[in-house]
Amino acid sequence: MPLQSNARFLRAIAREPTDCTPIWIMRQAGRYLPQYRATRARAGSFMTLCKTPELAAEVTLQPLQCYALDAAIIFSDILTIPDAMGLGLQVIESKGPVFSHPVQDEKSILHLTLPDPAKLAYVYDAIKLVQRELAGRIPLIGFCGSPWTLAAYMVEGKSMPGFPLIHEMKEKTPALLHQLLSLLAKAVTQHLLGQIQAGVQTVMLFDTWGGLLNTQDYEAFSLYYLREIVQALNQSVPVILFTKKGGQWLSQMADTGCDVIGIDWETSLTDARKIVGTRVALQGNMDPAILLSDPSTIRKEVARLLAAYGHGSGHIFNLGHGITPDVPPEHVQVLVDTVHELSLPYH
Ligand code: CP3
């Protein structure tokens, strides 16, 4: 693995001294960038963009050409795993992701098998292309969805507020749901190991819908499988865990053996730091809506969040959720440069 010339991100994960606070942005390659929209139009569809390594590599690199970001994230989607399991994924402009074969009964769940790694080779190929371009300048993050979050989409078949069908399955046939989650934990582990072998230096688990669960169910249906995945990776690379609306479970999350916890904007960085102590680093947590305001409001919010974390290493600046398509690209410039500038006195 080449030595990173920009090591801020990896050093902050290890809580080693840095010159300033590193920043990257969830969904940093996305529709707010005109360059992304152009490449996506050239691809014809979102899934073709994901499945064409040259184009996926191109959009991964676009935000790095515009901004002084401290990490790259491979362009892909969490739903590539269910797609490779045969559920047939389409991402439709006005509706988001839709599966042509959702898994809603015992028969379809019992029929599922681990995806053939060859069906996800396009992700590994894109990673290799990006690493060739980056040549060790900036670290690259790989990712997967959590088993619970993947299952929510697989059972519902699409995005749906509250994901009622998986809750019904959890109440009526919990053993069947555990069977699905257990298979997904193996599929996620296999896909993360594939990405690590292809060259990513960190992996992130997106548990976007873990916050729909109560504490007892979060432990049983989401955190249990996240822990299994973290332990199976066996410290090969640092792991970032992100449960949206997971602020009440930071201590349990830190005990999984992960290296970083991503927090959304509902949790205070000061409180989170007190809870996790020296166990993990923290990533977050600006409200993405702030990027729709104006440069002086963005600067004030950055200053507030840097002060909330306080002095020392272990903070990776990010949003509390993905950047939205309506953000003016100039505001991202203000954000990235302000984080680097205003964080200097804290290091
Ligand atoms: O961060 C990055 O730059 C890497 C790319 C990335 C995408 N999806 C690209 C994408 C990542 C990390 C994801 C993760 C993902 N995908 C999550 C977890 C993170 C989160 O946002 O909570 C989830 C839940 C999904 C499933 C998914 N994919 C949804 C709900 C949608 C529609 C969202 C929307 O805004 O329309 C997608 C499609 C998708 N994945 C887009 C992008 C850039 C937008 C579609 C497009 O460009 O046509």
Side-chain angles (χ1 to χ4, degrees), residues 21 85 87 172 176 188 191 248 258:
T21 301
M85 291 167 106
L87 274 71
K172 290 190 178 155
L176 184 65
V188 166
H191 190 37
Q248 48 184 329
C258 70

Side-chain angles (χ1 to χ4, degrees), residues 182-200:
S182 176
L183 179 68
L184 287 171
K186 292 189 183 74
V188 166
T189 302
Q190 177 181 286
H191 190 37
L192 291 176
L193 287 172
Q195 294 179 61
I196 294 166
Q197 204 176 3
V200 300

Side-chain angles (χ1 to χ4, degrees), residues 5 14 27 81 109 111 150 160 201 207 211 228 281 309 316 333:
S5 48
R27 294 268 175 105
I81 286 184
I109 290 184
H111 258 98
L150 294 180
M160 176 63 75
Q201 285 100 340
D207 185 26
E228 205 171 85
Y309 184 82
I316 297 146
Q333 186 89 52

Side-chain angles (χ1 to χ4, degrees), residues 53-239:
E54 293 73 21
L55 297 181
E58 182 180 308
V59 295
T60 301
L61 296 166
Q62 282 169 352
L64 310 177
Q65 284 144 7
C66 306
Y67 313 113
L69 294 157
D70 297 297
I73 180 162
I74 189 65
F75 186 82
S76 190
D77 199 84
I78 63 166
L79 301 179
T80 53
I81 286 184
D83 182 62
M85 291 167 106
L87 274 71
L89 173 63
Q90 268 187 290
V91 175
I92 299 169
E93 191 71 50
S94 53
K95 282 178 78 177
V98 177
F99 287 115
S100 42
H101 310 289
V103 289
Q104 289 163 336
D105 54 25
E106 182 164 353
K107 189 160 157 262
S108 50
I109 290 184
L110 297 182
H111 258 98
L112 290 173
T113 54
L114 273 184
D116 176 355
K119 292 212 168 120
L120 290 163
Y122 60 86
V123 180
Y124 314 134
D125 291 342
I127 289 169
K128 289 177 201 156
L129 288 177
V130 170
Q131 288 296 39
R132 202 187 303 158
E133 278 305 309
L134 287 177
R137 277 175 289 131
I138 288 179
L140 179 64
I141 303 167
F143 68 91
C144 271
S146 72
W148 166 259
T149 295
L150 294 180
Y153 285 102
M154 291 168 75
V155 173
E156 197 70 47
K158 56 184 182 299
S159 280
M160 176 63 75
F163 291 86
L165 293 181
I166 195 169
H167 285 285
E168 192 182 323
M169 190 180 285
K170 172 167 69 65
E171 296 312 318
K172 290 190 178 155
T173 52
L176 184 65
L177 180 54
H178 277 299
Q179 201 157 345
L180 174 60
L181 294 169
S182 176
L183 179 68
L184 287 171
K186 292 189 183 74
V188 166
T189 302
Q190 177 181 286
H191 190 37
L192 291 176
L193 287 172
Q195 294 179 61
I196 294 166
Q197 204 176 3
V200 300
Q201 285 100 340
T202 301
V203 293
M204 174 153 169
L205 282 158
F206 288 92
D207 185 26
T208 305
W209 300 118
L212 293 176
L213 293 162
N214 64 43
T215 296
Q216 196 185 342
D217 285 349
Y218 175 70
E219 302 243 2
F221 291 91
S222 190
L223 191 65
Y224 176 87
Y225 297 99
L226 291 171
R227 188 185 301 113
E228 205 171 85
I229 295 161
V230 171
Q231 289 176 0
L233 296 177
N234 201 17
Q235 299 184 322
S236 46
V237 296
V239 180

Side-chain angles (χ1 to χ4, degrees), residues 11 20 26 48 100 117 156 166 182 212 253 257 296 304 306 314:
R11 290 183 65 87
C20 61
M26 287 194 266
T48 307
S100 42
E156 197 70 47
I166 195 169
S182 176
L212 293 176
M253 289 170 77
S296 80
R304 188 183 73 79
L306 292 170

